[in-house]
Amino acid sequence: MPKLSRRYVHMAFFNLIWGLTFGGLLLFHKGVPLTPLMWRLLPLHIELMLVGWTVQFVLGIGFWIFPRFWRSRGNETPARRAFWLLNIGVWTAGLAGTLNAPAEILLIGRISELGAGLLFVLYVWQRIKPPGTGAWGKKRV
Amino acid sequence: MPILTRLFIKTSFLYLIAALFIGVALVGRSVWQLPAWLAGLSPVYFHLLMVGWVTQLIFGVAYWMLPKYTQKQPHGFDGVWWATFWLLNLGVLMRVVAEPFRIASPAPLWGWLLAASAVMQWLAGIGFVFNAWLRVKER
Ligand code: HEM
């Protein structure tokens, strides 16, 4: 498994643990009330589980298993930048919702997630290809 | 495909079907005369899709496809994997039962069932990450 996939997948696990902890606290509180403040965790729970865990895990595994160009995965820079944008976005948007920060902060988080999505898709597009072809369908690389 | 992978994946598809039935019931409330407690299934619908189906499918495929932990223990710690399977599924099923019953009846039992479901799903997640983290490596 390449280094960047390991980074994505480990970070997905990290977010799963936190998202699950916040979701678990919420569910516990729904059954056996602890403090009404608990509901503040909902935006962070949603952001971490939906994007930080599920989306990030799929991207990390995709980077690993999609067809390669002979031995190379091409120019990995966009996928590397997407990793940072995704995680900065998830935590910014999640914390903004939970801490009741101004809407602009939440927006920055979501735009960062969008940037990550665009960069990753732009990168991975050329790897969804028939065997034996190079980037953008060119024969043999 | 190892047996635990088949169990994870087949169970996940049962949840997918269950979720789609609940999706019908939730919307059906506005067309047919259905009991009011069905409204309590709204978070259940969403979480059956995302936890029961997607997350469980990922667990099953991860058990199968991630790099081997060691030659002797290719999947990592199998006891922990089995605990993950049972904790996740008992946890999810307890939520499916407790969410609507909590609305239908004031008995504290349902609240405690929900709290126990939370603890079980949390433990399942920790067990999964423990095993899978060790297997996310170069080869
Ligand atoms: C991939 C997994 C998960 C995703 C994507 C996810 C996402 C969400 C979303 C979008 C909501 C808001 C929608 C709603 O209220 O129904 C929500 C609510 C909630 N989630 Fe999750 N979740 C996940 C797993 C979990 C787990 C494992 C637990 C508990 C152990 C949990 C506990 C809760 C609770 C208690 C709520 C509040 C439900 C309510 O409004 O009464 N979630 N989650």
Side-chain angles (χ1 to χ4, degrees), chain A residues 20 23-24 26-27 30 39 42 45-46 49-50 53-54, chain B residues 43 46-47 50-51 55 95 118 121:
Chain A
L20 185 62
L26 259 173
L27 193 62
K30 235 178 129 172
W39 283 104
L42 188 58
H45 164 70
I46 294 173
M49 293 306 263
L50 220 44
W53 152 240
T54 314
Chain B
F46 186 81
H47 287 85
M50 292 311 298
V51 184
T55 297
R95 184 172 186 182
Q121 291 181 69

Side-chain angles (χ1 to χ4, degrees), chain A residues 1-2 5-7 9-11 13-14 16-17 20-25 27-28 30-32 45 49-50 53-54 57-58 61 64-65, chain B residues 43 46-47 50 54-55 58-59 65-67 95 99 102 111-112 114-115 117-119 121-122 125-126 128-129 132-133 136-139:
Chain A
M1 200 188 251
S5 284
R6 301 200 305 267
R7 201 186 284 170
V9 173
H10 275 148
M11 200 60 196
F13 290 164
F14 177 81
L16 169 64
I17 296 276
L20 185 62
T21 301
F22 300 144
L25 281 169
L27 193 62
F28 195 104
K30 235 178 129 172
V32 182
H45 164 70
M49 293 306 263
L50 220 44
W53 152 240
T54 314
F57 183 86
V58 171
I61 298 293
W64 177 30
I65 63 173
Chain B
F46 186 81
H47 287 85
M50 292 311 298
V54 177
T55 297
I58 289 179
F59 283 13
M65 304 271 280
L66 286 178
R95 184 172 186 182
E99 289 263 20
R102 207 179 50 94
W112 281 106
L114 214 51
S117 148
V119 174
Q121 291 181 69
W122 188 80
I126 300 293
F128 165 75
V129 170
W133 192 286
V136 175
K137 55 199 183 76
E138 201 162 356
R139 60 183 70 240

